[in-house]
Amino acid sequence: MTDYKNLIDGKMVDNGEWLDVLNPANEQVVGRVPACGKDELDRAVAAARRAFKDWRKTSQEERQKVVQGIAAAIKDNADELFRLLTTEQGKPHAQAQQEIYGAAGLAAAQSTLTLDDVVNQDDDQRLSRTRRVPVGVVGGIVPWNFPVMMAIQKIVPALVAGCTIVLKPSPFTPLTTLRIAELIKDVVPAGTVNIITGEDHLGPIITEHPDIDKITFTGSTATGKKIMEGASGDLKRITLELGGNDASIVLPDADVEKVAEQLFWSSFSNAGQVCIAAKRVYIHKDIYDDLSKAIAEYAKSVVVGDGSHQGTGVGPIQNKKQYDRVLELIQDAKDNGYKFLTGGDKDPSGTGYYVPITILDNPPEDARIVAEEQFGPVMPLLKFDSIDEVIERANNSEYGLAGAVWTKDTDKGVEIAEQLETGTVWINEFMHLSPFSPFGGHKQSGFGAEYGVDGLKEFTYPQVITVKRDAVV
Ligand code: NAD
């Protein structure tokens, strides 16, 4: 078992108090991290504030070089990092590898983003331009499903915009992030990036800290609401990436054999613990029987197990709390007599938080497994008759994160996409995010956006400077 330290003001430090981190595949302790509170947070924020004075004045090229250094540190150590990620998070090696290389790729790509001045007026009377200035010290709070990707998608735009950051990983998955902290310690100027660990109670202290100017948060909608409230005291800027109950809509012209496997992974990748996983799959009645059979058949070929074992396709649920919640939703489906195409019947006792791949056959629209975000390897397949009906059912949610339409007729797909109340809609794919396109939720799935220039802007204030040209002074 290894002790992982925090990064504060350019140094790896601990406070002598520790939190255990478990491997969800076997419930064994795999590492310890510092259990921090207000004192450590104050030190980290003070370091970030000091560093901000110089960092805000750096050129685009200097920032780009530092961020590219972060990308290289992750890429050069990818082998060690993806194995550690599987150990703490549970995801299979191949998916952990994707997350690590994805994070390095995101950092490299986003290092090139720029926020150019915009000229508002340029005539005989005035020259007026809008420039973007960094908001200051950012507090970043991330969840346990993509711990590395989420950390990088907060650290990188903060630095590119000229801000400094204090980041708090989830207490369930802090190890790989702290290993990256050690790797980038001498890449980033002291104090620009600080990473401190602690239990959930550290979150509100960050949100309410008087010397933090902005909160960027990814996690549940319930916590997002608390953050909005906590940040309101001094009107901190906030970006919230929250939950989703994303719908996939499969039209009757879709090729059953070809889409079955893709639909399976759109729901079961990372054991379903993806904010943008397909959490409700609506299939047209003409192909429902064939497609549901094909998905259930494909599911039989996928191995559930320890993510470090070769051949595992679906790992354990990341933590006990989420494991209990997913089992509760399966039990609710059983109690209500809903039909299972697969799963739902295995005794979940034993070591490790494993849930069998579970596919439900056309449960009612008000079933908990349809109406709530399951965040686990459980997929409800739902039958629909008409386009108008399915659009209404897909939009009948407090969430509005993403969705997908599957069809050979891509014009029709776009027409449906334009009627969905979500921040992202894919035609014939799922979960693709570009470093250059904004990603954010409608309704209770979020506030603001990450990625792309829109995401970068959220780390800045607009400042308008106007020169009166015909003035007499
Ligand atoms: P969570 O809200 O419980 O925790 C997220 C983070 O917030 C953790 O670091 C936690 O310690 C911290 N936290 C807890 N209470 C806090 C408080 N009162 N104030 C401030 N911080 C606090 O979420 P989770 O269980 O870790 O993640 C699962 C949820 O995250 C799902 O709902 C999922 O949809 C959502 N999610 C959304 C996105 C997205 O981009 N939209 C991405 C991944 C996950």
Side-chain angles (χ1 to χ4, degrees):
M1 192 185 64
T2 312
D3 289 343
Y4 292 80
K5 296 187 177 189
N6 285 180
L7 173 60
I8 300 181
D9 206 9
K11 294 184 190 66
M12 299 309 293
V13 294
D14 70 75
N15 60 354
E17 290 172 48
W18 299 93
L19 278 180
D20 287 343
V21 178
L22 303 184
N23 179 345
N26 56 24
E27 299 169 57
Q28 300 292 309
V29 176
V30 288
R32 295 193 313 175
V33 299
C36 295
K38 188 165 179 325
D39 288 351
E40 294 82 4
L41 176 64
D42 283 345
R43 273 203 289 284
V45 173
R49 179 63 58 196
R50 279 193 301 275
F52 179 59
K53 281 201 186 99
D54 287 334
W55 185 251
R56 68 176 306 166
K57 293 184 206 143
T58 50
S59 66
Q60 163 79 21
E61 290 69 31
E62 285 170 82
R63 294 177 197 170
Q64 193 168 352
K65 205 167 145 219
V66 167
V67 171
Q68 283 175 353
I70 296 176
I74 296 172
K75 203 167 155 204
D76 293 349
N77 295 277
D79 202 55
E80 175 200 344
L81 293 172
F82 86 73
R83 287 172 203 283
L84 180 59
L85 179 57
T86 293
T87 308
E88 64 172 333
Q89 206 283 335
K91 64 184 64 187
H93 272 163
Q95 293 172 34
Q97 234 168 344
Q98 272 172 16
E99 179 170 346
I100 297 297
Y101 281 109
L106 181 77
Q110 291 200 332
S111 74
T112 64
L113 290 174
T114 51
L115 290 174
D116 298 327
D117 289 5
V118 174
V119 175
N120 311 308
Q121 185 180 349
D122 183 3
D123 56 25
D124 293 346
Q125 277 106 45
R126 283 181 195 86
L127 173 61
S128 165
R129 68 187 167 96
T130 305
R131 62 194 284 261
R132 308 292 313 194
V133 296
V135 289
V137 174
V138 174
I141 303 175
V142 296
W144 43 259
N145 58 341
F146 285 89
V148 173
M149 188 57 122
M150 304 288 162
I152 291 302
Q153 78 190 45
K154 313 242 174 278
I155 293 170
V156 163
L159 292 180
V160 172
C163 297
T164 57
I165 186 164
V166 176
L167 183 98
K168 186 192 93 60
S170 165
F172 294 118
T173 52
L175 303 184
T176 318
T177 312
L178 290 184
R179 179 66 187 120
I180 291 172
E182 210 177 343
L183 293 169
I184 64 169
K185 175 173 70 72
D186 300 321
V187 172
V188 299
T192 53
V193 178
N194 305 273
I195 303 182
I196 68 167
T197 46
E199 295 192 75
D200 284 353
H201 63 74
L202 184 58
I205 321 178
I206 295 176
T207 311
E208 289 164 25
H209 199 288
D211 220 16
I212 290 181
D213 304 290
K214 175 193 169 68
I215 301 292
T216 173
F217 169 78
T218 299
S220 63
T221 294
T223 306
K225 289 178 186 176
K226 288 184 197 154
I227 287 182
M228 202 164 183
E229 206 179 319
S232 71
D234 51 5
L235 284 183
K236 283 186 181 62
R237 273 33 186 179
I238 51 170
T239 303
L240 305 175
E241 298 291 355
L242 308 176
N245 194 5
D246 301 352
S248 249
I249 298 173
V250 192
L251 300 192
D253 66 351
D255 185 314
V256 166
E257 291 307 321
K258 287 189 180 143
V259 295
E261 185 177 336
Q262 298 182 67
L263 283 170
F264 177 88
W265 287 112
S266 72
S267 288
F268 290 96
S269 179
N270 204 27
Q273 304 162 113
V274 190
C275 53
I276 48 174
K279 293 176 182 144
R280 300 174 282 158
V281 178
Y282 292 94
I283 303 172
H284 190 271
K285 66 175 178 15
D286 290 355
I287 56 165
Y288 182 87
D289 290 347
D290 288 346
L291 183 53
S292 57
K293 224 178 280 161
I295 296 172
E297 198 54 40
Y298 179 78
K300 285 190 202 144
S301 69
V302 178
V303 177
V304 178
D306 186 325
S308 67
H309 295 173
Q310 211 183 354
T312 295
V314 172
I317 295 287
Q318 201 284 320
N319 60 76
K320 178 81 167 67
K321 189 173 153 219
Q322 185 62 21
Y323 175 65
D324 289 342
R325 175 173 157 71
V326 174
L327 292 182
E328 184 190 308
L329 287 173
I330 294 176
Q331 189 58 46
D332 177 79
K334 278 189 190 170
D335 293 347
N336 281 285
Y338 305 148
K339 203 170 143 212
F340 290 76
L341 288 169
T342 182
D345 52 358
K346 198 169 128 189
D347 179 0
S349 61
T351 312
Y353 306 136
Y354 297 105
V355 171
I357 289 168
T358 299
I359 302 176
L360 282 134
D361 184 10
N362 202 26
E365 200 70 6
D366 62 354
R368 284 187 63 195
I369 193 62
V370 180
E372 296 178 22
E373 181 189 40
Q374 62 273 48
F375 224 62
V378 189
M379 176 200 223
L381 301 180
L382 302 145
K383 205 184 284 189
F384 75 89
D385 270 314
S386 76
I387 302 288
D388 287 348
E389 168 219 328
V390 78
I391 290 170
E392 198 178 318
R393 288 168 73 184
N395 285 339
N396 183 23
S397 169
E398 73 261 29
Y399 295 115
L401 196 57
V405 186
W406 302 81
T407 175
K408 289 193 179 72
D409 182 349
T410 51
D411 290 344
K412 183 87 194 156
V414 170
E415 197 186 309
I416 294 172
E418 287 176 354
Q419 295 174 75
L420 294 179
E421 298 163 354
T422 63
T424 298
V425 189
W426 296 279
I427 318 295
N428 297 331
E429 66 171 343
F430 221 96
M431 292 193 202
H432 169 75
L433 297 180
S434 156
F436 306 111
S437 308
F439 167 63
H442 293 189
K443 303 196 270 189
Q444 294 191 37
S445 283
F447 200 93
E450 291 190 292
Y451 286 59
V453 167
D454 297 78
L456 191 58
K457 274 187 185 164
E458 302 225 352
F459 291 85
T460 66
Y461 295 123
Q463 184 189 40
V464 178
I465 297 185
T466 304
V467 179
K468 182 93 169 85
R469 278 186 166 142
D470 58 355
V472 180
V473 287

